[in-house]
Amino acid sequence: MNELEQVELSFNDDVKRVSNTKELENLRVLYLGKKGKITELFSKIKEIAVEEKKAFGQKINSIKTYVEQKINDLKNKFEEEKVKSEIANEKEIDITLPVSTGTGSLHPRTSLQKEIEDIFISMGFTVEDGYEVETEFNNFDAVNVPKNHPARDMQDTFWLTNGELLKTHTSASQNRILRKYNGPLKAIFPGRCFRNEALDHSHENTFFQMEGMLVDKDVSVANLIYFMKKMLSKVFKTDINIRLRPGFFPFVEPGFEMDATCTFCGGRGCSTCKNTGWLELCPCGMIHPNVFKNAGINPDEYSGFAFGLGFDRLVMLKTGLDDIRYLNSGNIKVLNQFGVEA
Ligand code: DAH
């Protein structure tokens, strides 16, 4: 018992000399550590006579609690003092200095999307929303791609276990939009598309397209050419010439590949256009009668054109990025170069 009192007295003595967290930690180890004075007292219990064991045990426990409490109180006190002194020193910070806000910016894809949407809106188009998870019907059947038709294999599809799929092209929205207007319409529908592709500098499994349709009476290829020329000239802020080559897509007849004069060399030939002077930009064509029929529209009454802009390619041409994978990378160093304030 005497020894216990000695330990308590020496602790009370030592604790008075502690003036910072480091010294406090040393004190804690000295008394409560593995070989600490109090820890060692516990090991003495077995040497104590049976009738004194209980009182001895109680006493050590109460000393231990007392020491722990004292150390804890001091710890809190030191921490409080630290915060107080930090706050006092903060007066030295000049709060009038300008700070960098770093609010972020729009993704180049988003800013170009807005720009193109505005151009189409100014020409009387509506902007429609599309789904990312689609039915097999909307993605394929409705746009005249029958089951077992080789055209289905042109697009490697991510199938879902419930039989639906991640839309492989924005054309998947055509049927819904045709039904919505059930007659004349001018609509664009930008959206994210998915294909099970091997990735390289020009292929992504997740990419953006911007599709458009114009439906009315007596629509012709001339209307298609007019709108595409207008739109591209506005996007590239210079007069753009376009040319059409035959192209096969089940949802259009006739179908075309549309090329535009190379925006980098003005048509003289450069590495971007592989010295052809033309950039392949946008498949398009006159809406196939079956697409109209599938949406309950009479193809003898209405005609129209459709196009499917490879939107990411356009973003790359506008920004000069030479690898499509940057667009989904979230790489701040890349994206910051094209920052447009949100
Ligand atoms: N959906 C086609 C694709 O992703 C692109 C396309 C071609 C869309 C011709 C159209 C079109 O609207 O008329 O490969």
Side-chain angles (χ1 to χ4, degrees), residues 155 168-171 174 195 209 211-212 249 251-252 256 283-285 306-308:
Q155 305 182 350
T168 60
H169 55 178
T170 39
S171 311
Q174 284 195 7
R195 285 187 205 173
Q209 291 187 337
E211 185 117 352
F249 301 93
F251 19 91
V252 279
F256 308 106
C284 53
F307 61 87

Side-chain angles (χ1 to χ4, degrees), residues 69-186:
Q69 185 65 46
K70 264 270 189 245
I71 289 180
N72 224 8
D73 289 351
L74 267 181
K75 195 171 157 217
N76 291 340
K77 185 176 154 230
F78 290 147
E79 266 165 21
E80 214 170 282
E81 281 171 5
K82 190 170 160 234
V83 173
K84 272 190 190 149
S85 89
E86 272 171 10
I87 292 174
N89 287 338
E90 260 178 28
K91 279 193 205 119
E92 287 161 25
I93 295 173
D94 181 355
I95 56 164
T96 63
L97 279 178
V99 275
S100 146
T101 48
T103 47
S105 58
L106 294 179
H107 192 284
R109 208 185 241 150
T110 314
S111 44
L112 186 60
Q113 181 178 328
K114 286 190 167 187
E115 197 180 323
I116 297 188
E117 281 177 9
D118 284 346
I119 293 170
F120 275 106
I121 289 169
S122 77
M123 297 194 285
F125 282 69
T126 59
V127 180
E128 308 286 333
D129 226 354
Y131 298 165
E132 292 186 347
V133 172
E134 265 294 1
T135 58
E136 181 177 6
F137 175 81
N138 277 335
N139 199 82
F140 291 122
D141 304 76
V143 286
N144 199 33
V145 188
K147 278 198 177 59
N148 306 320
H149 190 282
R152 274 203 194 193
D153 302 333
M154 283 162 65
Q155 305 182 350
D156 285 320
T157 308
F158 286 113
W159 290 97
L160 305 182
T161 47
N162 67 357
E164 295 190 337
L165 48 83
L166 298 184
K167 78 164 184 277
T168 60
H169 55 178
T170 39
S171 311
S173 302
Q174 284 195 7
N175 190 265
R176 209 176 279 116
I177 295 167
L178 287 169
R179 285 180 183 279
K180 177 174 166 189
Y181 291 95
N182 194 32
L185 68 90
K186 287 199 264 181

Side-chain angles (χ1 to χ4, degrees), residues 307-323:
F307 61 87
L309 258 180
F311 191 66
D312 284 346
R313 174 147 162 74
L314 208 58
V315 175
M316 289 166 73
L317 286 172
K318 276 281 275 191
T319 55
L321 283 177
D322 57 3
D323 194 320

Side-chain angles (χ1 to χ4, degrees), residues 39-73:
T39 321
E40 283 190 339
L41 287 178
F42 276 100
S43 64
K44 296 213 164 119
I45 293 184
K46 55 180 182 295
E47 297 160 18
I48 304 281
V50 186
E51 58 279 11
E52 282 178 26
K53 257 196 181 126
K54 192 174 170 202
F56 187 85
Q58 276 173 351
K59 182 75 182 155
I60 317 181
N61 273 325
S62 80
I63 294 178
K64 189 179 173 217
T65 315
Y66 167 77
V67 167
E68 281 173 344
Q69 185 65 46
K70 264 270 189 245
I71 289 180
N72 224 8
D73 289 351

